[in-house]
Amino acid sequence: MTILTVRHLTTYSYAAPVRLGEHRMMLRPRDSNDQRLLEASLEIEPRPRRLRWIHDVFDNCVAIADFSGETRRLEVENVITLEHIASDEPDFLLEERARTYPFSYDAEEMPDLARAIERHYPDPSGELERWVRRFVNQGRPTETAGLLMTLTDAIKEGVAYERRTAKGTQSPLQTLLTRRGSCRDYATLMMEAARTLGFAARFVSGYLYVPGGGADDDHPRRGGGSTHAWCQVYLPGSGWVEFDPTNGIVGNRDLIRVAVARDARQAIPLHGSYWGKAEDEEGMVVTVVVRRLPDPEPANRERP
């Protein structure tokens, strides 16, 4: 068990006073058996006229802020402390029918999994399908776990990582063509490749813990210092399993889940609107610091 803290600071600056519209924030981690939220604080300046919390259709916790008046700066600081139980590559305790690919999902699960299996991006010439089929054995069984781990590694090794601050996500075909992308582009490519093979997959946004606090240049972990993205694939017997193609991680080690969705556009950590001139927007600065707290000192037991 590890105790991690995350400080996520987002600052918007404007050249002239603007009136802020509604802002939606997905910043509160999802409690589960492998991560438990201990403390959380959300500070917003200027202070919202109203702040309310809801759960969206995917059961993510969303904060919605409404503002009054004008400002030249919006600052959102989210600080969380959570208990994290890391696992290395999962044991893949799959049901017998799912040990080899292809397999069929249970009929009772299909209505809930259908949209996660459905392909979300066009592939008119079948380029993505041809690419992903390379990892499926021809004429002999393909081990399901091995297939997904190979796909994860192929994306990690075949796509050059770049930190991209521009809005939006590249299409899977664009990432395949350019062989470059951010973590959300890696995740989207992995999801769509898995869906092409008939797997149910979904997008995950959250944070990455980089042991030692090193930057991307001096540590093999890529995606530290900002929000992070990866995907989950649903496997009978194991449930939703984490796959981070940016770093080749299978399992939850160093990953802090915040939100899940069918598509990256549904899991944006912070987005909103303002009334003013387009040229008034000077930019956004995001800083994320994830630290591990020292292990508690063992209790001092005095002997009689």
Side-chain angles (χ1 to χ4, degrees):
M1 181 186 72
T2 302
I3 305 298
L4 300 174
T5 66
V6 180
R7 179 177 181 265
H8 179 178
L9 177 65
T10 304
T11 305
Y12 295 92
S13 300
Y14 304 93
V18 299
R19 187 157 57 94
L20 298 174
E22 180 183 275
H23 281 66
R24 297 172 69 93
M25 292 153 275
M26 287 185 178
L27 302 170
R28 190 180 181 92
R30 297 169 68 95
D31 276 326
S32 186
N33 62 299
D34 59 354
Q35 65 176 37
R36 183 169 67 92
L37 185 62
L38 301 177
E39 295 181 22
S41 68
L42 178 62
E43 299 292 335
I44 304 173
E45 184 60 39
R47 187 177 297 276
R49 173 177 57 84
R50 180 177 66 172
L51 180 66
R52 58 195 176 95
W53 297 84
I54 66 169
H55 283 86
D56 69 7
V57 68
F58 303 107
D59 203 31
N60 301 309
C61 192
V62 183
I64 303 174
D66 296 304
F67 299 87
S68 58
E70 295 184 332
T71 184
R72 292 184 55 181
R73 183 181 180 89
L74 171 62
E75 187 172 277
V76 178
E77 182 181 34
N78 188 64
V79 180
I80 59 172
T81 302
L82 72 158
E83 188 179 85
H84 188 270
I85 301 174
S87 64
D88 290 315
E89 291 185 1
D91 293 333
F92 287 107
L93 301 176
L94 304 181
E95 295 180 11
E96 188 62 34
R97 62 189 169 90
R99 292 183 182 276
T100 57
Y101 174 85
F103 64 86
S104 298
Y105 289 112
D106 190 280
E108 291 187 358
E109 296 175 328
M110 279 301 294
D112 299 303
L113 295 175
R115 291 305 308 276
I117 299 171
E118 176 185 299
R119 296 180 64 175
H120 285 44
Y121 293 85
D123 183 22
S125 64
E127 184 176 350
L128 178 61
E129 182 154 4
R130 285 193 298 273
W131 178 78
V132 74
R133 288 286 172 186
R134 295 163 42 205
F135 308 111
V136 179
N137 296 331
Q138 301 300 317
R140 57 190 176 90
T142 301
E143 184 186 14
T144 300
L147 170 61
L148 291 169
M149 288 190 288
T150 299
L151 179 58
T152 302
D153 288 338
I155 296 173
K156 175 181 181 292
E157 298 301 328
V159 179
Y161 175 77
E162 61 180 8
R163 191 184 297 276
R164 191 163 51 80
T165 57
K167 295 180 181 179
T169 303
Q170 293 178 174
S171 72
L173 289 181
Q174 185 178 356
T175 303
L176 267 185
L177 177 65
T178 62
R179 300 288 174 168
R180 304 187 66 84
S182 66
C183 59
R184 61 186 183 274
D185 303 321
Y186 279 72
T188 298
L189 173 58
M190 173 94 185
M191 280 196 307
E192 198 68 3
R195 289 166 174 166
T196 299
L197 296 175
F199 291 101
R202 64 186 185 184
F203 185 88
V204 187
S205 70
Y207 304 106
L208 173 71
Y209 168 60
V210 179
D216 293 337
D217 292 339
D218 54 22
H219 196 280
R221 289 283 190 260
R222 301 181 292 186
S226 185
T227 55
H228 192 50
W230 60 98
C231 73
Q232 294 177 331
V233 176
Y234 188 79
L235 299 174
S238 290
W240 291 105
V241 179
E242 322 275 346
F243 292 90
D244 177 10
T246 305
N247 293 294
I249 297 173
V250 179
N252 75 332
R253 178 167 294 278
D254 300 331
L255 300 175
I256 301 170
R257 284 185 309 278
V258 172
V260 300
R262 282 187 298 103
D263 189 86
R265 292 167 294 186
Q266 299 169 308
I268 300 173
L270 170 59
H271 66 103
S273 61
Y274 71 93
W275 283 272
K277 298 178 181 179
E279 58 267 27
D280 288 341
E281 187 174 357
E282 294 183 325
M284 174 185 71
V285 177
V286 177
T287 303
V288 174
V289 178
V290 183
R291 294 189 302 113
R292 175 176 177 168
L293 296 185
D295 294 333
E297 293 289 335
N300 184 16
R301 297 174 181 268
E302 294 186 3
R303 294 185 178 181

